[in-house]
Amino acid sequence: MAAVVLIFDFDKTIIDCDSDDWVVAHLGGAALFQELLPTMSWNSLMDRMMSELHSQGKTIQDISDCLKTVPLHPETISAIKTAYALGCELRIVSDANKFFIETILNQHGLLEYFSEINTNPSFIDEYGKLRILPYHDFHSASHGCSNPCPPNMCKGLIIKRIQDLMSSEGKKRIIYIGDGKGDYCASLKLAEEDFMLPRKNFPVWGLITNNPSLLKAEIHEWIDAEELHKVIIKVISAALSAEDRTPESISMDWKYQSVSRLPHEAVPQVLRVPH
């Protein structure tokens, strides 16, 4: 049973761009997107944009091909594989959507490293159009959070659910990695033994640095993929050391070694996000 759980945001954390922006811009919808943005929530707008792109003749294959061109930094790939090789459990909590995340991760051979993906559900309807739904159905009721969470997702509530599930599995420590305003609520739910890794000079970093005393977790900032890889190794080592479970393969020089030198269990099956 993993003693350390890494929870990643996706856009501008695992990938260095916003997957929604990438698709809209590369498939010719940027102007309409900017026109409609002041009139509806982001999640609803992305569903609308999928309809608009479909009406312009863009297919699911076009969207998939576009997503497969999203770059993923080699250091980020290495960090994910390293964390898994060290016995950590990996999850995603993201305000993107299931189709976008799974397509990008699968393209880079990373999908099966994650045990759970919490994101906005998506599906292909009977007309071959991609539909994007809210994680929380805010049309029926508010999620009730007063922090700067979008109406369709409170990451704090998701973290609380994960913590409740983990409570029956023995002591675990969470390492949360994110960049956006929506990650702030999640950071407030972390316990004293956990770690928060905000991306420096991004919205969550600004919110945290305004009053870091509101967080119980230990804070380690990062600015790019190379630094994130180093910070992840550092905090995993600290977390495992506290539990007296540090693998012998971890040392101050380990981060420069190949992940293939670590023992690796069979890659787990990903838990698909329900529609």
Side-chain angles (χ1 to χ4, degrees):
M1 194 72 69
V4 178
V5 179
L6 270 70
I7 302 177
F8 291 83
D9 178 32
F10 188 73
D11 291 327
K12 301 182 182 178
T13 297
I14 289 181
I15 61 173
D16 205 29
C17 64
D18 184 287
S19 56
D20 292 342
D21 287 342
W22 184 275
V23 169
V24 168
H26 283 74
L27 295 184
L32 179 60
F33 183 90
Q34 290 301 322
E35 178 184 339
L36 295 175
L37 183 57
T39 69
M40 60 181 71
S41 71
W42 188 285
N43 177 259
S44 299
L45 178 53
M46 281 306 299
D47 184 55
R48 168 72 179 274
M49 290 305 302
M50 294 304 101
S51 295
E52 295 291 339
L53 291 174
H54 184 263
S55 69
Q56 295 170 17
K58 299 297 190 294
T59 66
I60 290 295
Q61 189 61 52
D62 292 330
I63 297 171
S64 179
D65 289 344
C66 178
L67 289 164
K68 289 175 182 178
T69 67
V70 173
L72 210 161
H73 199 286
E75 290 284 349
T76 303
I77 295 173
S78 183
I80 289 169
K81 292 183 176 181
T82 296
Y84 178 72
L86 290 171
C88 300
E89 180 185 353
L90 279 59
R91 299 174 182 239
I92 289 174
V93 176
S94 168
D95 194 17
N97 70 81
K98 178 179 183 289
F99 185 84
F100 284 18
I101 292 174
E102 290 192 351
T103 301
I104 293 170
L105 290 179
N106 192 56
Q107 173 67 16
H108 294 276
L110 296 175
L111 179 59
E112 292 181 338
Y113 284 89
F114 293 89
S115 64
E116 183 181 52
I117 300 174
N118 298 274
T119 189
N120 297 299
S122 54
F123 68 97
I124 301 169
D125 69 13
E126 65 271 27
Y127 304 106
K129 177 174 59 180
L130 182 64
R131 299 297 312 276
I132 299 173
L133 305 179
Y135 179 88
H136 178 89
D137 185 6
F138 61 93
H139 300 293
S140 299
S142 168
H143 52 57
C145 182
S146 59
N147 290 313
C149 298
N152 61 293
M153 176 175 285
C154 171
K155 292 187 177 183
L157 291 177
I158 298 174
I159 295 301
K160 181 63 168 59
R161 178 188 61 80
I162 293 173
Q163 290 170 328
D164 290 343
L165 290 172
M166 292 188 334
S167 64
S168 63
E169 300 174 354
K171 187 175 181 181
K172 293 176 180 283
R173 308 184 80 176
I174 292 176
I175 299 171
Y176 189 97
I177 307 121
D179 70 280
K181 286 193 301 182
D183 297 306
Y184 181 64
C185 189
S187 74
L188 296 175
K189 301 295 184 184
L190 300 177
E192 187 174 348
E193 63 270 16
D194 296 332
F195 300 87
M196 176 62 195
L197 278 54
R199 189 169 188 180
K200 188 176 181 180
N201 298 325
F202 279 70
V204 71
W205 180 84
L207 290 167
I208 290 172
T209 55
N210 282 341
N211 194 350
S213 64
L214 293 178
L215 269 69
K216 298 176 183 176
E218 194 172 302
I219 303 167
H220 295 262
E221 64 187 29
W222 58 282
I223 198 163
D224 57 21
E226 183 175 356
E227 186 173 17
L228 177 60
H229 188 185
K230 295 175 181 178
V231 172
I232 284 176
I233 297 303
K234 177 182 176 181
V235 296
I236 290 175
S237 179
L240 293 176
S241 294
E243 300 297 318
D244 196 25
R245 297 175 61 172
T246 309
E248 293 179 0
S249 51
I250 294 184
S251 70
M252 292 302 293
D253 298 324
W254 188 89
K255 58 180 171 284
Y256 302 106
Q257 301 175 13
S258 168
V259 69
S260 63
R261 294 175 60 182
L262 285 171
H264 200 295
E265 300 173 4
V267 176
Q269 293 299 309
V270 69
L271 296 179
R272 302 295 176 181
V273 181
H275 293 310

